[in-house]
Amino acid sequence: MSGSGDLSTSTVERPATPEQASQLPIYTTQVHKNSVSALAFFKDGRRIVTGSWDHTVQIWDVEEGALVGGPFRGHHDYVYSVAVSPDDKRIASGGQDRAIIVWDVDGKHKPLRLVRHTGEIWSLCFSFDGKRLASGSHDKRVLIWDAKTGLVVSTLKGSDRPVFRVAFSPDGLKLASGTECKIRVWSIDNSDLLFEINAHNLDGWVHIVWSPDGQQLVSASEDKTIKFWNSSDGTQIGRPYAAHTDDINSLAISPDGSFIATASDDKTVCLWSIKLMGRPLKLAHTALVFCAAFSPGGDLLATGDSSGNLQLWSIENPLSEEFGLDSSYFARRSEVRLDQSLYVEALSDADKVIELDPSSHLGYKLKYGALCGARHYDDASKAFETMLNRLNDSPDPQMQQLYQQYICQKGVQDALDQAIRTQLKDAPLRLINTSTGRVCDRDAQVNAFRESTEYKELLDSSDMRRPGEIELIKEAVAKYFGWVMLSHRWGTKEPLLRDIQDKNIYTLDPVGTMVKLQKFCEVARDAGHHWAWSDTCCIDQNNNFELGESVNSMFIWYRNSVLTIVYLSDVPSKSAALAGSIWNTRGWTVQEFLAPKFVLFYKEDWNLYLDNCSRNHKESDSIMKELERSTGINRQVLANFHPGTTDVLEKLRWASNRDTTKGEDIAYSLFGIFGIHLPVIYGEKRQNALGRLLQYIIAHSGDVSALDWVGQQSSSFNSCLPAEISSYKDLPYMSQSLSEHDIEKLVSALQIDTVAMESALKWYTALKNPDIPRFADARLQLPCITFPLTEVRRRLRRDGAGRFTYDVKADGLQDLPVKTKCDILLQFPQQFLLVRPWKRYDLELGGQSGDELVAKGLRLYVRLGQPFGALLLEQQRGGEYKRIASDNEIIAQVGDVASVITRTSGCWKYCSCAERDIFIRYRQQIFHMTAIFISIDQNL
């Protein structure tokens, strides 16, 4: 289909001097061995396709005149017509051999050969949406083809002569055909002939084009005249143009509708101003000119002649010299170029309008549109402000009315910009456009919105003077930018950002995990959502800063999503085994389910789990019950979770039986659940990451419950913390709570003793505002009550778990056993302490009988008398302490205070030997509990 060109050694001839540029073409190059019978510009304006009597079709670079595609070989005779599809992906050609060939420009697909005509193909034209292809033939028929399948959609009959030209109307609703002398206009919907025009006098070819606005038809013929017609009823407009001395072979109209070009056997091309209706500007050629076409920007003209030459002309200067172009010409051309998305060219024309008419608002309006299209929004805003000033300066009432309209529009734009900024503040850095399949950063997301129908409708319909308009705009913006999150188990070779950057994911090979990404985006798109996010490809894994920001923001992204899709890749289509899915064992998936408000589960085949078609599976009783059983998380919490540093132990327990591929992620995945923001340092190892997390929680919340763990190994970050999060799997020791009746009974008895009440008041007052724990640089200063060990004896035999049992005595505690595999207690009498960490909630007790503070003080007596989970510490050099024997719970109880529960008599006395020293006397027995700060060493 393609190969090297036949004219690879041809040269490009250019004008010798700048002065000649307005009189001669930019270049002349021989592109075919025989006549160039047809040509057309691509919509990008950078390429031209040519067809020739040498049976070939070729594509040429406009700027260089170099061959960039073809020659396309497939015709067996002259090529008479070529056309380019609106998306620039296909070209169509037809000619003497009665065949139409639709070529794929990139050569990825085989050419489509259409053979239904029984005569030469004189003309081809794509519809403006590219879905239809029209052909006119010597067999007196017009056929409408499906451009994709090649099937004939309709046949337009009624012509009694060969059809030389066909052209779709700009709105795609009509088709005009030119035969000998006549023009016919057809309805595309029902193939009815709307009207017929006897356009020209001599039997010969009739060439036709539509004006860009679709209001007129222009025709030219071998009678050497150009005529204009009303496209609604076929009546003639104005007088004919005439200047050629021989047959007219081709007719073209500029994109803005200001000029027409006619090519003739008299070896000239005439450029006519429709507005001035005077003599044309003639461009001389050295051979018969068979075809001519304007570039999409309207500043270039291409012609083809009987010698096989392609000539390119810059026509702006010649037209200006000949016709004296004014600001209205450049304004019209700027508008056309804006419609064609030629923003740089449109901006140039807008600047020309401003230069020619600086007091008018029009140039700044066009400049604003061009800058917006080019995505230079700051400069566009300045142009808009200048436009408003020009309108406001004008005394014309119509300009003042326009000013008010644009002021309202600016208010809407400002409200939209603010809503966009608010919406994107807590949005992912990148999202996949579910329509285009392309990953977009925030600028690209905003650009897509500004180019969307939703944005244009908001600009047109919003009025800031109406009450509640800002809220409606916010809702519309939130709806457009709403994103869908994916929660899943990573597979092997997941597509990363580099794999999909600048690509359409829907066109990538559907193999492996790419299928999952494609299906996810399709499901999100089919649900009406514009944007989708997957952690595999929407984060630049090689950018440490972005990775850290993403980890810290991920909970918010899931929370703010319009929907989270959970894909259970290991749950078969006929299974109901969500609880057994590996998704339930991964560390990151805890927050991915807790955070979002709306969740849908999908099985392996991308059907909804349990065929539950509700809008939110968090509202499904059966699914929530199953999830509660499998996760151990209360269903109310599952459905309505709030992040924060409350219920620390419970949240750590949720993650205690989960795994992550990277060790650090077991801590990072909890950042959002605790509502904290910390640096992400991949490579720091699991213990350090978990240590930093727990350090932050303790230091900022004052809650030391994170110290209530049991595990074989303490952390290298700090010995009071566990090495593994699995140490939180078992709940810490909880003493059997006294009933409220027993507490009130005890408090009532103690209130009889005035000394006890005074002591309770002083004691509670002294302790009600305790210092908070301080945790920084892996050093913990812990408020606690200490009990020094006074005697240690190890039993001879180990238990079934290989642990030693030590019988321990401690000052102020009942004798107790300590079981551990650790043998460090043999170093006694080195100083060891059993400590009870001081917890704020020890003071936050209920009970309102009698004086509140006294009652709370007495209740605190009782609470401290209950068994508690103790930490065993060993003093280090320098006076710091290290936790030891963490592999088993140590349950301790103060000496004899428990007997207070069953007795209502006795004497409690309080005396202070230091500000934080407490003595409790019961039955003449005294034990010493000291509330001090203990600095726990970093366990190196």
Side-chain angles (χ1 to χ4, degrees):
M1 185 175 71
S2 62
S4 61
D6 292 341
L7 302 170
S8 58
T9 60
S10 64
T11 59
V12 177
E13 298 178 7
R14 300 178 183 271
T17 64
E19 289 76 13
Q20 295 175 311
S22 62
Q23 305 298 326
L24 296 175
I26 297 173
Y27 61 73
T28 299
T29 181
Q30 187 179 8
V31 295
H32 288 279
K33 292 180 178 180
N34 209 329
S35 302
V36 177
S37 51
L39 60 80
F41 274 90
F42 281 73
K43 301 304 178 288
D44 62 14
R46 297 193 295 269
R47 294 168 291 171
I48 296 174
V49 59
T50 58
S52 172
W53 287 5
D54 67 7
H55 311 172
T56 67
V57 175
Q58 303 187 68
I59 300 175
W60 302 89
D61 179 87
V62 169
E63 183 175 355
E64 299 296 331
L67 182 69
V68 293
F72 298 94
R73 305 181 188 278
H75 289 287
H76 308 302
D77 214 323
Y78 295 170
V79 176
Y80 291 144
S81 181
V82 293
V84 181
S85 65
D87 61 4
D88 285 350
K89 293 182 178 180
R90 294 166 295 166
I91 53 177
S93 58
Q96 184 73 27
D97 62 2
R98 307 175 183 180
I100 300 169
I101 303 178
V102 181
W103 312 86
D104 181 64
V105 172
D106 294 331
K108 294 181 179 179
H109 305 285
K110 292 182 178 180
L112 184 65
R113 191 177 184 88
L114 313 178
V115 182
R116 288 290 295 274
H117 283 292
T118 57
E120 297 97 321
I121 312 297
W122 293 114
S123 181
L124 294 169
C125 179
F126 279 98
S127 62
F128 284 82
D129 60 7
K131 295 180 179 179
R132 298 287 184 263
L133 177 69
S135 59
S137 170
H138 205 83
D139 65 8
K140 306 177 184 180
R141 293 186 300 164
V142 176
L143 298 182
I144 308 295
W145 309 78
D146 184 303
K148 184 177 182 180
T149 64
L151 298 176
V152 174
V153 177
S154 60
T155 301
L156 306 182
K157 299 179 180 180
S159 178
D160 56 356
R161 298 186 182 188
V163 180
F164 295 116
R165 289 293 178 266
V166 291
F168 281 100
S169 63
D171 59 11
L173 301 178
K174 300 175 184 177
L175 183 133
S177 66
T179 63
E180 292 179 353
C181 303
K182 294 183 178 181
I183 299 172
R184 290 180 173 85
V185 178
W186 316 77
S187 170
I188 296 298
D189 288 341
N190 53 25
S191 303
D192 288 346
L193 179 64
L194 299 177
F195 57 84
E196 183 178 275
I197 306 171
N198 291 311
H200 294 269
N201 297 327
L202 296 178
D203 288 343
W205 293 20
V206 174
H207 307 277
I208 50 171
V209 292
W210 292 83
S211 63
D213 60 8
Q215 300 300 308
Q216 296 184 42
L217 280 165
V218 185
S219 65
S221 179
E222 292 180 3
D223 65 4
K224 309 176 186 63
T225 64
I226 300 99
K227 297 181 179 180
F228 301 85
W229 312 92
N230 187 313
S231 64
S232 61
D233 57 14
T235 58
Q236 188 170 350
I237 301 171
R239 62 177 178 83
Y241 290 0
H244 286 290
T245 59
D246 210 332
D247 294 348
I248 296 175
N249 296 320
S250 180
L251 172 67
I253 191 166
S254 64
D256 63 352
S258 297
F259 300 95
I260 57 174
T262 51
S264 171
D265 281 349
D266 65 8
K267 301 182 182 180
T268 66
V269 170
C270 286
L271 289 171
W272 310 78
S273 169
I274 295 177
K275 179 180 179 181
L276 297 179
M277 300 182 67
R279 299 296 297 175
L281 170 66
K282 287 193 175 184
L283 304 177
H285 290 64
T286 60
L288 308 181
V289 189
F290 285 166
C291 50
F294 286 96
S295 65
D299 55 339
L300 299 174
L301 182 77
T303 60
D305 65 25
S306 58
S307 297
N309 291 323
L310 170 67
Q311 294 185 330
L312 188 72
W313 305 77
S314 175
I315 58 175
E316 183 174 313
N317 289 336
L319 289 175
S320 180
E321 293 172 3
E322 184 72 18
F323 302 114
L325 302 178
D326 59 12
S327 63
S328 62
Y329 164 75
F330 292 103
R332 287 194 301 273
R333 197 169 73 175
S334 182
E335 290 173 348
V336 170
R337 288 173 162 179
L338 281 174
D339 290 340
Q340 296 171 338
S341 300
L342 300 172
Y343 301 118
V344 174
E345 294 84 351
L347 180 60
S348 176
D349 282 342
D351 286 335
K352 193 70 175 179
V353 174
I354 294 171
E355 177 187 336
L356 294 173
D357 191 1
S359 63
S360 172
H361 78 285
L362 182 57
Y364 294 100
K365 175 185 176 183
L366 294 168
K367 186 172 186 176
Y368 166 75
L371 289 168
C372 283
R375 301 173 181 175
H376 299 306
Y377 296 114
D378 290 340
D379 291 337
S381 179
K382 295 176 183 177
F384 194 88
E385 289 287 350
T386 306
M387 181 194 72
L388 289 176
N389 292 335
R390 293 293 183 273
L391 287 170
N392 195 32
D393 292 342
S394 173
D396 188 338
Q398 289 185 339
M399 294 298 101
Q400 287 299 314
Q401 187 175 1
L402 272 178
Y403 173 77
Q404 293 301 324
Q405 292 177 3
Y406 283 123
I407 280 290
C408 291
Q409 179 180 328
K410 186 177 187 303
V412 174
Q413 288 176 334
D414 291 344
L416 282 168
D417 290 343
Q418 181 59 45
I420 292 170
R421 285 192 293 270
T422 301
Q423 179 67 21
L424 296 183
K425 182 178 64 175
D426 292 322
L429 305 177
R430 291 185 188 82
L431 291 167
I432 298 173
N433 187 317
T434 60
S435 297
T436 66
R438 294 183 178 275
V439 65
C440 299
D441 59 17
R442 286 183 176 174
D443 286 341
Q445 295 165 40
V446 174
N447 292 336
F449 178 54
R450 293 182 187 276
E451 296 167 4
S452 68
T453 56
E454 290 92 337
Y455 182 79
K456 294 178 176 64
E457 288 173 357
L458 283 169
L459 279 180
D460 293 340
S461 62
S462 300
D463 187 343
M464 299 309 296
R465 294 169 294 187
R466 289 197 296 255
E469 197 72 3
I470 290 181
E471 292 306 315
L472 292 176
I473 288 175
K474 289 180 180 178
E475 291 174 8
V477 169
K479 180 178 180 182
Y480 178 87
F481 283 100
W483 62 88
V484 180
M485 302 285 281
L486 176 64
S487 175
H488 66 120
R489 168 71 167 101
W490 275 48
T492 56
K493 295 183 179 179
E494 291 279 357
L496 303 177
L497 177 62
R498 64 173 179 266
D499 300 318
I500 69 167
Q501 190 82 54
D502 301 322
K503 298 175 184 177
N504 179 350
I505 64 164
Y506 298 127
T507 62
L508 298 176
D509 290 339
V511 295
T513 52
M514 181 60 71
V515 177
K516 174 173 60 176
L517 180 62
Q518 292 168 336
K519 290 295 295 182
F520 162 61
C521 290
E522 288 173 3
V523 170
R525 180 192 62 198
D526 294 345
H529 304 296
H530 297 290
W531 305 101
W533 185 91
S534 172
D535 55 352
T536 60
C537 57
C538 292
I539 301 174
D540 185 353
Q541 307 287 338
N542 295 319
N543 185 323
N544 290 333
F545 177 79
E546 180 180 325
L547 190 59
E549 286 299 302
S550 298
V551 167
N552 276 290
S553 303
M554 210 169 293
F555 183 93
I556 297 298
W557 294 348
Y558 276 96
R559 171 55 59 91
N560 293 341
S561 67
V562 293
L563 173 66
T564 290
I565 288 177
V566 177
Y567 178 58
L568 307 172
S569 60
D570 55 352
V571 176
S573 59
K574 296 183 179 180
S575 172
L578 184 158
S581 172
I582 195 171
W583 175 86
N584 249 327
T585 68
R586 308 305 299 171
W588 283 107
T589 58
V590 179
Q591 75 165 1
E592 292 170 6
F593 185 83
L594 289 174
K597 300 179 180 70
F598 293 89
V599 174
L600 290 176
F601 287 92
Y602 283 82
K603 296 177 292 186
E604 179 187 26
D605 60 359
W606 284 96
N607 285 316
L608 287 164
Y609 185 65
L610 299 182
D611 297 323
N612 186 315
C613 296
S614 64
R615 62 192 290 264
N616 187 7
H617 284 172
K618 281 197 171 186
E619 297 174 355
S620 167
D621 187 66
S622 57
I623 292 177
M624 294 301 288
K625 282 183 178 178
E626 185 177 2
L627 204 58
E628 182 179 42
R629 288 193 300 270
S630 61
T631 63
I633 304 174
N634 181 275
R635 61 181 304 178
Q636 297 300 322
V637 175
L638 288 170
N640 191 27
F641 174 76
H642 298 285
T645 53
T646 59
D647 302 318
V648 172
L649 274 181
E650 181 70 5
K651 292 170 183 174
L652 292 171
R653 186 179 62 81
W654 298 342
S656 63
N657 59 352
R658 293 182 176 255
D659 298 315
T660 56
T661 302
K662 295 181 178 179
E664 301 93 334
D665 278 341
I666 198 63
Y668 300 163
S669 66
L670 294 172
F671 285 3
I673 288 175
F674 285 105
I676 65 177
H677 189 291
L678 287 174
V680 174
I681 313 170
Y682 280 109
E684 67 174 324
K685 304 304 181 186
R686 179 192 302 256
Q687 290 189 31
N688 202 71
L690 182 59
R692 287 194 301 115
L693 169 68
L694 298 176
Q695 171 179 270
Y696 184 96
I697 293 171
I698 294 172
H700 287 77
S701 70
D703 185 351
V704 296
S705 58
L707 306 182
D708 294 338
W709 57 273
V710 173
Q712 293 295 327
Q713 185 181 358
S714 59
S715 173
S716 60
F717 183 85
N718 186 288
S719 63
C720 265
L721 303 178
E724 299 292 338
I725 201 166
S726 57
S727 297
Y728 293 108
K729 189 174 299 184
D730 297 323
L731 291 175
Y733 173 78
M734 302 293 291
S735 61
Q736 185 176 359
S737 299
L738 294 174
S739 68
E740 188 64 26
H741 173 75
D742 288 336
I743 293 176
E744 290 297 334
K745 185 177 179 181
L746 177 58
V747 169
S748 297
L750 292 174
Q751 286 173 341
I752 299 173
D753 191 326
T754 303
V755 175
M757 292 177 62
E758 291 177 354
S759 299
L761 177 59
K762 292 179 181 178
W763 191 42
Y764 187 85
T765 301
L767 294 178
K768 71 177 181 179
N769 295 310
D771 291 308
I772 62 172
R774 297 189 180 96
F775 209 157
D777 299 326
R779 292 295 199 278
L780 169 64
Q781 284 189 306
L782 179 68
C784 58
I785 301 175
T786 66
F787 305 92
L789 268 60
T790 58
E791 183 177 324
V792 175
R793 292 185 180 182
R794 190 175 78 177
R795 299 178 189 177
L796 295 177
R797 297 182 180 276
R798 297 175 183 253
D799 64 10
R803 295 171 299 193
F804 294 108
T805 300
Y806 295 88
D807 293 314
V808 171
K809 295 180 182 293
D811 187 11
L813 292 179
Q814 297 179 24
D815 295 350
L816 69 154
V818 173
K819 293 185 177 182
T820 178
K821 294 180 179 179
C822 171
D823 60 2
I824 198 169
L825 282 173
L826 293 176
Q827 298 178 17
F828 185 83
Q830 181 174 329
Q831 185 173 8
F832 294 95
L833 298 178
L834 284 168
V835 303
R836 175 175 183 159
W838 190 253
K839 299 177 181 178
R840 283 171 170 253
Y841 59 74
D842 285 335
L843 296 168
E844 297 170 355
L845 304 175
Q848 302 299 322
S849 62
D851 182 82
E852 183 181 38
L853 293 179
V854 174
K856 286 186 176 182
L858 295 175
R859 294 169 69 89
L860 182 57
Y861 276 147
V862 176
R863 188 181 183 93
L864 293 179
Q866 300 300 299
F868 64 92
L871 307 183
L872 182 58
L873 308 179
E874 176 195 13
Q875 189 173 27
Q876 307 292 294
R877 292 180 180 178
E880 294 186 344
Y881 287 83
K882 170 183 175 181
R883 182 178 177 181
I884 60 173
S886 61
D887 55 339
N888 196 51
E889 282 188 314
I890 301 174
I891 309 303
Q893 187 174 12
V894 295
D896 272 351
V897 175
S899 63
V900 176
I901 298 172
T902 58
R903 297 179 63 89
T904 58
S905 61
C907 178
W908 290 73
K909 293 186 178 179
Y910 172 86
C911 62
S912 176
C913 62
E915 184 181 9
R916 297 291 192 183
D917 287 356
I918 303 161
F919 288 82
I920 297 179
R921 181 188 300 273
Y922 180 73
R923 285 187 175 182
Q924 306 302 318
Q925 181 178 3
I926 298 175
F927 55 92
H928 185 202
M929 298 186 293
T930 306
I932 63 172
F933 283 93
I934 295 180
S935 181
I936 308 298
D937 78 316
Q938 184 180 21
N939 186 8
L940 301 176

